[in-house]
Amino acid sequence: MGTNDAAVDIVATDAERAALAKRFGFLGLPAFSARVTVDRRPGGQVIVEGRLRGKIVQACVLSLEPVTQELDDAFRLVFAESTSDERDPESGEAVLSAQADAPEPLTGNMLDVGEIVAEQLSLTADPYPRRPGIKLEDVLPKLRTAGRRGPPEQRRHPFAGLAALRDKPRRGR
């Protein structure tokens, strides 16, 4: 990282978009760009702020048909140099704060801004994309009732055997 408040414009190439789509399981990533500022503050804090824009194509969770999502999302991350080297006495691993606003640990003097943007892309994508207007009933198999007469067949409950044991009188009690 160089000077304070450095701005970085990222426009993903075709190969980079294809690699990101494969990495995150998208059907496609037709457009993706970001503008990021990196600001080193006194006390060892580094603020990374940005906005990503693009378009992703994912498979609908119900029909598996392509669903397009427009992206326009702002993000802000705070990193801090490890001022206190708290370690778990048993495992020796670093102890991190569970507070939502706690800064991420910064090790070394380099940040991978491209990786930060890629992670934000994965967080911005809809985890359960669904084609508009589709319902679960639209994709479930239909019950075949045509040609049958009489009441529908009763299915045995999977725990019916256990219920029978529960209701059975016990010996010696």
Side-chain angles (χ1 to χ4, degrees):
M1 282 179 280
T3 62
N4 287 351
D5 213 18
V8 179
D9 287 314
I10 299 172
V11 179
T13 65
D14 291 343
E16 291 168 335
R17 289 194 318 270
L20 286 168
K22 182 178 179 180
R23 175 179 172 185
F24 297 122
F26 303 151
L27 297 177
L29 185 60
F32 184 59
S33 65
R35 177 156 180 87
V36 181
T37 58
V38 179
D39 184 22
R40 183 177 282 273
R41 303 247 172 107
Q45 275 198 341
V46 178
I47 311 295
V48 179
E49 291 181 290
R51 169 166 244 110
L52 61 88
R53 294 187 167 132
K55 183 186 293 190
I56 59 174
V57 181
Q58 296 173 282
C60 172
V61 294
L62 296 177
S63 68
L64 301 179
E65 295 176 36
V67 176
T68 302
Q69 177 186 358
E70 296 287 333
L71 303 176
D72 187 358
D73 191 50
F75 61 90
R76 181 176 195 268
L77 298 169
V78 179
F79 294 88
E81 292 174 351
S82 183
T83 54
S84 65
D85 195 20
E86 289 186 51
R87 300 238 172 233
D88 182 282
E90 292 179 17
S91 68
E93 293 182 5
V95 177
L96 302 176
S97 174
Q99 296 176 356
D101 60 347
E104 297 284 330
L106 177 65
T107 54
N109 62 352
M110 300 281 288
L111 277 178
D112 187 347
V113 175
E115 182 59 27
I116 291 170
V117 171
E119 290 173 2
Q120 293 305 310
L121 167 65
S122 72
L123 293 172
T124 302
D126 185 352
Y128 304 105
R130 186 182 284 192
R131 196 183 86 217
I134 194 165
K135 296 178 284 202
L136 183 59
E137 297 81 34
D138 297 337
V139 295
L140 287 178
K142 306 288 187 227
L143 294 176
R144 290 190 235 164
T145 56
R148 280 195 183 170
R149 299 193 188 250
E153 185 178 310
Q154 289 278 342
R155 288 189 54 177
R156 185 169 181 220
H157 190 277
F159 296 108
L162 292 175
L165 289 174
R166 181 193 66 204
D167 298 336
K168 191 175 187 179
R170 294 183 186 171
R171 292 183 198 170
R173 287 191 183 189

